[in-house]
Amino acid sequence: MARKKSNNVTKASIVRVATEKFLRAGYSATTFKSISDELGISTGHITFYYPTKVHLLAVLVDMLCQFQWQLMNGPGDEHEANLSAASLELTTMAAMCEENEVARDFYLSAYTQPITLDIIRRNDAARAKKVFCRYCPDWTDDMFAEAEVLISGVEYATLMATESSPPLDVRIKGGLEQIFKIYNVPEDIRQRLISSALQQDYRSMGRRIFSEFIEYIEQENELVLEELLEITKGDE
C-alpha cells in the first residue's frame, strides 16, 4: 500500500512538471530528459508511468476539458450563456493560436494526436448535447459523437493558420457558421452569436483565458500533490 501511494506521488510529480513545461516552454520543445532532469529521476522512470509524451499530453487535455466545463455556465439564462460560451470558446482559442506560439503548439498537437483528439471529441459531444439539445431534440448520443468528428475538423482548420489562410476574423466567422449549421441553430440566432463574438476584444480575452488556464493547471497539480503527500505522511 505504501509503495502504491509513493507511486501516485511520483506520477503526480511527473504530471506537474510536464504539464507546466508544456504550457510555458511548449509541448514540442519539452523532452522527457528536461522533465527527468527537473525531477531528478531517470527518463525510464517516467516512461514506466507514461510510455510516450502523448500520454502526458492526454492528461493535460483531460484537464483542459474540465476547465472548459467550468467556463460554460455564466450568469443569466443558462441556454443563452452556454451558446455564448460555445461561440466564444472557438473565438478565443483561435486568437490564442494566432498570438501565442506555445498555445498554438498545444492546441494543434492536441488536435493531431489520435489519443488526445478522441478525448476532445468525447468531451465536446457531451457539452454539445447540453448546449444544442434544443435544436437537436431527436439526436442520439451517437449522432452527437458523429457530429463532433466533423466539428473537430472545422475547429482544427480554424486554429491552423498558414501564410495563405484568411484573416483571423474570417476564419472565426466561417468556423462558427459551419458548427452552428451542423447543430441546426436557426440563422437569426447564428448571426447574432457570431456578430456578438466578433465584437468582443477576443484577442485580449484569449490572452486572459490562456493565463487563467495555466493558473488552473498549476493550482490543480499542487492540490493533488498536497493531498497525496498528506495521505502518505499520515501513514508513516
Side-chain angles (χ1 to χ4, degrees):
M1 182 64 75
R3 181 183 179 86
K4 181 178 179 181
K5 290 176 180 176
S6 176
N7 288 346
N8 287 339
V9 170
T10 301
K11 288 178 67 176
S13 298
I14 293 169
V15 167
R16 177 181 63 80
V17 171
T19 55
E20 291 175 16
K21 280 184 175 293
F22 291 167
L23 294 176
R24 293 194 179 276
Y27 171 74
S28 297
T30 301
T31 63
F32 270 176
K33 187 177 185 308
S34 67
I35 299 168
S36 66
D37 285 348
E38 183 163 333
L39 289 168
I41 61 177
S42 68
T43 55
H45 205 158
I46 297 174
T47 57
F48 176 78
Y49 298 106
Y50 300 99
T52 70
K53 196 168 68 167
V54 176
H55 288 85
L56 281 166
L57 179 63
V59 176
L60 182 55
V61 171
D62 264 326
M63 297 174 80
L64 170 67
C65 293
Q66 295 166 24
F67 178 74
Q68 289 173 333
W69 275 100
Q70 292 187 8
L71 295 179
M72 271 188 60
N73 293 322
D77 178 77
E78 181 181 14
H79 176 67
E80 277 295 316
N82 287 339
L83 281 174
S84 295
S87 59
L88 284 173
E89 182 178 302
L90 180 60
T91 303
T92 53
M93 281 169 51
M96 289 179 212
C97 292
E98 184 91 349
E99 294 193 342
N100 187 320
E101 182 57 38
V102 170
R104 184 174 185 270
D105 183 41
F106 164 59
Y107 279 106
L108 296 187
S109 297
Y111 273 85
T112 51
Q113 296 293 337
I115 295 173
T116 48
L117 180 57
D118 189 52
I119 294 170
I120 291 169
R121 285 173 173 170
R122 288 200 313 269
N123 177 73
D124 287 0
R127 289 193 298 139
K129 185 176 180 180
K130 181 178 176 67
V131 175
F132 299 110
C133 58
R134 180 176 298 186
Y135 310 116
C136 310
D138 300 323
W139 280 32
T140 63
D141 289 347
D142 285 345
M143 293 171 73
F144 278 103
E146 289 165 6
E148 282 303 321
V149 172
L150 297 175
I151 288 169
S152 61
V154 172
E155 290 172 340
Y156 181 79
T158 305
L159 304 180
M160 178 59 184
T162 66
E163 290 184 0
S164 59
S165 294
L168 177 60
D169 60 335
V170 175
R171 299 201 314 275
I172 291 170
K173 181 178 181 181
L176 290 176
E177 180 75 22
Q178 290 182 63
I179 292 169
F180 290 150
K181 280 184 177 179
I182 289 172
Y183 282 120
N184 301 324
V185 178
E187 183 177 0
D188 59 328
I189 298 176
R190 290 201 310 266
Q191 298 310 315
R192 174 170 56 80
L193 289 169
I194 294 170
S195 176
S196 176
L198 290 174
Q199 287 173 16
Q200 305 292 323
D201 185 0
Y202 48 83
R203 292 181 182 270
S204 294
M205 291 176 67
R207 290 191 291 269
R208 175 178 58 79
I209 291 174
F210 192 60
S211 178
E212 289 176 357
F213 176 52
I214 293 174
E215 184 178 349
Y216 169 81
I217 295 300
E218 292 176 345
Q219 289 176 349
E220 288 295 305
N221 284 334
E222 289 302 321
L223 181 61
V224 169
L225 260 176
E226 287 174 8
E227 290 177 348
L228 287 171
L229 289 170
E230 281 299 316
I231 292 171
T232 304
K233 191 183 300 181
D235 290 340
E236 292 178 354

